[in-house]
Amino acid sequence: AQKFKKSFIKMVPNRYFEMSLKIIDRISDQISSYVRGTLTAALIVGALSIIGLNILCSVTDMQHDYIILVGVLAGLFNLIPFIGPMIGGVLAILFFLITGQVDGFELQYYHILFIMFTFAAVQLVDNLVSSPFIISDSVGLHPMFVIIVVMVGGSVLGPLGMIISVPIAAVLKVIVEELIWGFKNYRYL
């Protein structure tokens, strides 16, 4: 990162040196804030998945031996916005079916519905509360704008677009803000 920064700054004319350095520093701050926000949202999804499955097991007398593993995987897959908790729910159902904790299809059917309901609730909390507000706060964008950017990124590039759309929007926001500020205050035009 430092080599890139030095080589980029060498190409910038002296007249724009200070503004370019400030843009690079703010972009670095935005990216690191985005990563921290994303990891926080993933931690929340993992914790909610573990809590939800524990409550489900205690209320329904269902056995699920891999609650913590499912919660960790749901948190990791949450790095893909909007569909991460769904993948965690599918993994919870697969681990439940593979371990064969319940005899008889009818009981498994209801337990699978309970697991789906638990992860639907986790996904609802993640998509409407934690991810938009945490990530929007970390990059300084409005929560609705974050949702729109992720949906546009997903429609253009699929899951990869969903992952990179918010950092790209944050970087563009920083560049535009700094250019406007620099042109007003330093009269570069």
Side-chain angles (χ1 to χ4, degrees):
Q2 290 299 328
K3 287 182 180 180
F4 172 75
K5 186 176 178 179
K6 286 179 182 179
S7 64
F8 181 76
I9 292 296
K10 285 180 183 177
M11 295 186 309
V12 173
N14 285 339
R15 181 177 183 188
Y16 303 110
F17 176 78
E18 185 178 342
M19 185 173 60
S20 300
L21 191 60
K22 190 174 179 184
I23 289 173
I24 291 172
D25 286 340
R26 283 207 47 213
I27 287 173
S28 176
D29 290 344
Q30 284 287 319
I31 299 297
S32 61
S33 293
Y34 173 75
V35 169
R36 279 192 304 273
T38 302
L39 292 176
T40 302
L43 181 68
I44 289 171
V45 166
L48 286 175
S49 300
I50 291 170
I51 291 168
L53 285 175
N54 275 326
I55 291 171
L56 180 64
C57 287
S58 66
V59 169
T60 63
D61 292 330
M62 182 179 83
Q63 294 291 331
H64 199 301
D65 296 333
Y66 299 102
I67 292 175
I68 294 176
L69 178 64
V70 168
V72 169
L73 290 174
L76 287 175
F77 279 110
N78 192 55
L79 298 175
I80 303 172
F82 295 114
I83 62 172
M86 267 195 312
I87 296 172
V90 170
L91 290 175
I93 292 169
L94 287 176
F95 280 126
F96 177 73
L97 291 174
I98 289 171
T99 57
Q101 298 293 333
V102 179
D103 295 328
F105 180 73
E106 184 176 331
L107 291 175
Q108 285 183 354
Y109 174 73
Y110 288 115
H111 287 160
I112 290 171
L113 286 178
F114 292 150
I115 292 171
M116 289 171 58
F117 176 74
T118 301
F119 276 90
V122 169
Q123 184 173 18
L124 187 66
V125 169
D126 177 55
N127 290 343
L128 297 178
V129 180
S130 67
S131 284
F133 286 104
I134 290 172
I135 292 174
S136 70
D137 186 46
S138 67
V139 295
L141 297 171
H142 192 275
M144 186 58 76
F145 185 72
V146 169
I147 293 171
I148 291 169
V149 164
V150 169
M151 289 176 19
V152 168
S155 67
V156 173
L157 294 175
L160 177 66
M162 296 174 90
I163 294 170
I164 65 171
S165 60
V166 175
I168 288 173
V171 166
L172 291 174
K173 177 190 141 236
V174 166
I175 290 171
V176 168
E177 286 176 351
E178 288 301 318
L179 287 176
I180 290 171
W181 186 87
F183 288 140
K184 281 182 181 177
N185 293 317
Y186 291 122
R187 311 229 188 278
Y188 282 132
L189 291 178

